[in-house]
Amino acid sequence: MVPAIDQPLASLEDWDDHVRDRYDPNKPKDSFRQYTDATPPGVREFYRQNHTHQTLDFVLSKKREYGSLDRRRMGIWQALEYLNTLVDESDPDTDLSQIEHCVQTAEAIRAAGEPDWMVLTGLIHDLGKILCLFGEPQWAVVGDTFPVGCAWSPRIVYPEFFEANPDRNVAKYQTLNGIYEPHVGLDQVHLSWGHDEYLSMVVRDHLPAEAIAMIRYHSCYPWHREGAYAHLTNAHDAQMLPWVQRFNPFDLYTKSDSRPDVDALRPFYEELIARYFPVELRW
Ligand SMILES: [Fe+2]
Ligand SMILES: [Fe+2]
């Protein structure tokens, strides 16, 4: 089956797998940047599309489009089940379903003795991927995220693919701080659009700031992993960064083939969800 032009990844997991491979702790440091040849063509094409189309205008238009949160009304568990209807070309016999991935991440955080809101964050952090079900192309749902409206850091993966991004021709956006004041704080910085930003909009009033940071920045590898964009961050971001970094290994490395017993775990998670969220949320 030939992937559709705007769906170069056989499965959204292909992007997660790529990031996991890039930051594989067992990989010698020297080989870190030499991932291009080994990267599957679909993943390269995915990044080419992402870096070409994620402009400031695009991000602002998506924030307007989704910011009204008037698409659906669903509780958290309902949203997990909705995400589970996302079918891609992954192998149903060997690959975990979306819901199993979510529960697996949460279970790993619970087993590590982390606070309950962080367990809940693990459960929900990828729910924004329902953007796919709203018809968004893969490049506007997943991928490493980065600030827009200012110069792209060379620490963003595949920086060469920004060559074709129209923001290259806007002088203001090509300066270090771009449209932002120095140290304005990431709260005020527009990030490339995807599942992270979308979910942070949906859950923002219900979880502690640390959880919101984990959700909004979990794919912002240029910041939390590569140390870029310090010129835009403030004291609040400095407080949040260790939490985002604490969350990341659970996101990257809890993937295992053993299926969690979702039915058996559901009552525990329903109770946890009810501790923080209303019965229905606006999506
Ligand atoms: Fe994610
Ligand atoms: Fe994730």
Side-chain angles (χ1 to χ4, degrees):
M1 188 171 172
V2 181
I5 189 77
D6 63 347
Q7 309 283 66
L9 305 175
S11 153
L12 285 187
E13 299 303 315
D14 289 1
W15 168 69
D16 299 88
D17 292 345
H18 172 74
V19 176
R20 188 175 307 111
D21 184 56
R22 191 196 313 155
Y23 293 117
D24 183 349
N26 300 315
K27 236 178 169 178
K29 268 247 180 254
D30 290 355
S31 69
F32 175 71
R33 293 264 158 211
Q34 296 162 12
Y35 42 76
T36 38
D37 289 345
T39 305
V43 173
R44 270 181 67 87
E45 172 59 14
F46 161 79
Y47 276 115
R48 192 194 62 74
Q49 294 179 3
N50 177 278
H51 290 10
T52 299
H53 300 302
Q54 290 276 359
T55 61
L56 176 62
D57 276 353
F58 174 76
V59 169
L60 293 177
S61 75
K62 287 296 157 187
K63 283 183 155 179
R64 272 194 303 272
E65 187 183 339
Y66 285 96
S68 52
L69 300 177
D70 55 7
R71 260 178 187 65
R72 287 185 158 232
R73 283 170 189 260
M74 297 185 283
I76 293 290
W77 197 269
Q78 250 183 308
L80 283 161
E81 287 177 334
Y82 184 49
L83 178 65
N84 221 27
T85 65
L86 183 66
V87 277
D88 49 29
E89 290 175 51
S90 58
D91 180 348
D93 292 331
T94 55
D95 292 337
L96 297 181
S97 68
Q98 298 286 341
I99 214 165
E100 287 169 329
H101 271 301
C102 297
V103 170
Q104 200 174 56
T105 306
E107 282 292 281
I109 295 171
R110 178 152 77 121
E114 297 286 9
D116 69 343
W117 54 264
M118 187 167 162
V119 176
L120 184 54
T121 300
L123 182 75
I124 68 170
H125 77 283
D126 277 338
L127 276 179
K129 290 180 180 175
I130 62 171
L131 284 172
C132 277
L133 297 166
F134 297 147
E136 295 296 337
Q138 290 168 343
W139 60 262
V141 179
V142 293
D144 308 46
T145 61
F146 50 85
V148 294
C150 60
W152 302 292
S153 166
R155 289 164 171 256
I156 302 169
V157 65
Y158 286 120
E160 65 272 26
F161 287 147
F162 287 117
E163 209 49 60
N165 185 305
D167 282 357
R168 175 166 293 289
N169 305 314
V170 183
K172 177 85 175 162
Y173 303 167
Q174 294 304 309
T175 61
L176 184 68
N177 292 303
I179 62 170
Y180 310 105
E181 293 296 319
H183 298 291
V184 66
L186 293 179
D187 270 357
Q188 304 297 316
V189 171
H190 299 292
L191 301 178
S192 53
W193 176 255
H195 70 287
D196 317 60
E197 184 74 49
Y198 174 50
L199 184 68
S200 76
M201 288 173 159
V202 173
V203 301
R204 134 177 82 203
D205 296 334
H206 304 288
L207 293 172
E210 291 83 355
I212 301 302
M214 289 170 182
I215 289 166
R216 186 167 187 245
Y217 306 122
H218 77 270
S219 306
C220 196
Y221 286 90
W223 176 56
H224 72 68
R225 192 75 181 225
E226 300 291 329
Y229 295 104
H231 52 283
L232 293 177
T233 59
N234 63 12
H236 177 70
D237 299 322
Q239 280 180 343
M240 294 301 112
L241 181 59
W243 288 98
V244 176
Q245 291 171 332
R246 185 157 158 175
F247 178 76
N248 185 246
F250 296 107
D251 189 18
L252 274 191
Y253 304 123
T254 48
K255 195 176 180 176
S256 94
D257 293 335
S258 66
R259 291 181 189 274
D261 187 343
V262 174
D263 287 340
L265 291 165
R266 181 170 172 168
F268 169 82
Y269 282 104
E270 292 271 31
E271 195 274 324
L272 176 57
I273 290 164
R275 232 176 284 158
Y276 287 90
F277 289 106
V279 175
E280 240 178 31
L281 284 165
R282 289 159 50 101
W283 297 80

